[in-house]
Amino acid sequence: MSQDTSTLLYGGHVHANGIRQHYLRYGGAQGQRAGRDAVILIPGITSPAVTWGFVAEHLGREFDTYVLDVRGRGLSSSGPGLDYGLDAQAADVAALAEALGLQRWALVGHSMGARIAVRAARSQPDGLTRLVLVDPPVSGPGRRSYPAALPWYVDSIRQATQGMDAEAMRAFCPTWTDEQRQLRAQWLHTCYEPAIVQSFEDFGRDDIHADLPRIAQPMRLVTAERGDVVRAEDVAEWQGLAPQTQHVRVPQAGHMIPWDNEAGFYAALGDFLGSRVD
């Protein structure tokens, strides 16, 4: 497949864990024929699946890749009456893999998505082979706060709900390209505010460190040089709790690593997923 050919196959829905889950599928048969594990990509707190499309396009050259709309975001189930807690989000991932009939699958989670991946792996779901955890918030009870402010999320969602363009999004994402800002402006309104608020507050209520000793799969912790989300001492604690964890720091990147240094992000993945992606 040439690099000029899109690897996007389709978007789809499954009913799993009691809700409608929307995903985008990239790559497909090529990765299957090579015997590589499928990849489920779990975005962060206000990132619908489509905003990770540029990464999934790249991964789709080597892997059967699925990008999830986490509940309360994008085209997955949303609105009042749903449980937006970490346990429910983690159960969604395992149920998605089962509903898709995946036999062997890896998780790549960014920020909140990394915390979801850790919680999902704690229960040792059938077929899960490895985890890539991208700049996960290491906050929790008695720990330092996540270095971002809730109003940044809420204010941008409310503005997107009223209607905003790429130029208006510049106030929130000044370093992004116009194309990236336009896509975020288009989709941010699908992030259900109460879901975002609960997820943000859960950064301080859920301690994923307690899950780490219960995870047997290999892990690669990919962290940003900037942003102060994961410090050197956090990496040391993580590896003490889960010695199978490999760590790669991506230079010239803040928390949204692929947006800041896309090549560096792929280099950090290397061949950990079973085939080189850089």
Side-chain angles (χ1 to χ4, degrees):
M1 182 179 295
S2 75
Q3 294 190 6
D4 295 329
T5 302
S6 174
T7 64
L8 175 63
L9 297 178
Y10 54 81
H13 297 86
V14 295
H15 185 80
N17 197 32
I19 66 167
R20 181 187 70 252
Q21 297 194 47
H22 175 256
Y23 64 91
L24 299 174
R25 187 183 184 192
Y26 295 78
Q30 179 170 322
Q32 292 176 330
R33 287 196 298 269
R36 300 180 189 126
D37 299 345
V39 172
I40 298 177
L41 200 162
I42 314 171
I45 186 169
T46 55
S47 295
V50 67
T51 64
W52 275 80
F54 71 106
V55 173
E57 285 276 10
H58 191 93
L59 295 179
R61 297 173 194 160
E62 301 292 334
F63 306 100
D64 188 15
T65 303
Y66 301 81
V67 192
L68 173 64
D69 269 330
V70 178
R71 58 170 64 200
R73 290 94 173 154
L75 301 180
S76 289
S77 289
S78 188
L82 284 185
D83 180 357
Y84 294 107
L86 184 60
D87 288 342
Q89 294 169 333
D92 286 346
V93 173
L96 173 72
E98 182 177 5
L100 293 173
L102 303 181
Q103 299 300 307
R104 291 176 55 87
W105 44 283
L107 290 177
V108 177
H110 172 249
S111 191
M112 179 195 74
R115 290 170 65 91
I116 293 172
V118 167
R119 183 58 54 87
R122 180 183 71 174
S123 62
Q124 292 293 313
D126 291 341
L128 177 61
T129 59
R130 67 198 72 206
L131 298 88
V132 175
L133 308 164
V134 184
D135 225 37
V138 292
S139 48
R143 297 178 177 272
R144 76 174 189 279
S145 299
Y146 177 55
L150 181 59
W152 186 90
Y153 299 101
V154 172
D155 292 349
S156 59
I157 290 170
R158 291 179 180 177
Q159 191 168 341
T161 300
Q162 295 299 314
M164 69 189 304
D165 58 15
E167 186 57 33
M169 186 60 72
R170 187 185 299 274
F172 298 95
C173 306
T175 65
W176 291 21
T177 67
D178 285 343
E179 182 180 9
Q180 291 165 346
R181 284 192 291 266
Q182 184 61 46
L183 190 63
R184 185 169 176 80
Q186 178 186 358
W187 281 89
L188 187 59
H189 78 281
T190 68
C191 294
Y192 181 54
E193 184 179 323
I196 296 342
V197 171
Q198 179 170 347
S199 291
F200 185 90
E201 292 178 345
D202 282 350
F203 287 170
R205 291 189 289 235
D206 288 306
D207 189 354
I208 60 171
H209 295 79
D211 300 334
L212 295 177
R214 300 170 61 180
I215 298 175
Q217 290 84 358
M219 289 186 274
R220 178 159 293 184
L221 182 62
V222 177
T223 64
E225 183 179 60
R226 305 191 305 265
D228 199 36
V229 175
V230 183
R231 299 173 181 172
E233 58 266 32
D234 301 320
V235 174
E237 180 184 12
W238 191 293
Q239 292 178 320
L241 294 167
Q244 76 275 29
T245 303
Q246 305 168 10
H247 173 242
V248 182
R249 184 80 77 181
V250 180
Q252 300 177 345
H255 182 58
M256 303 297 287
I257 295 175
W259 280 255
D260 293 338
N261 185 353
E262 186 176 358
F265 175 68
Y266 300 137
L269 296 183
D271 61 358
F272 180 77
L273 292 170
S275 179
R276 295 200 68 83
V277 297
D278 53 348

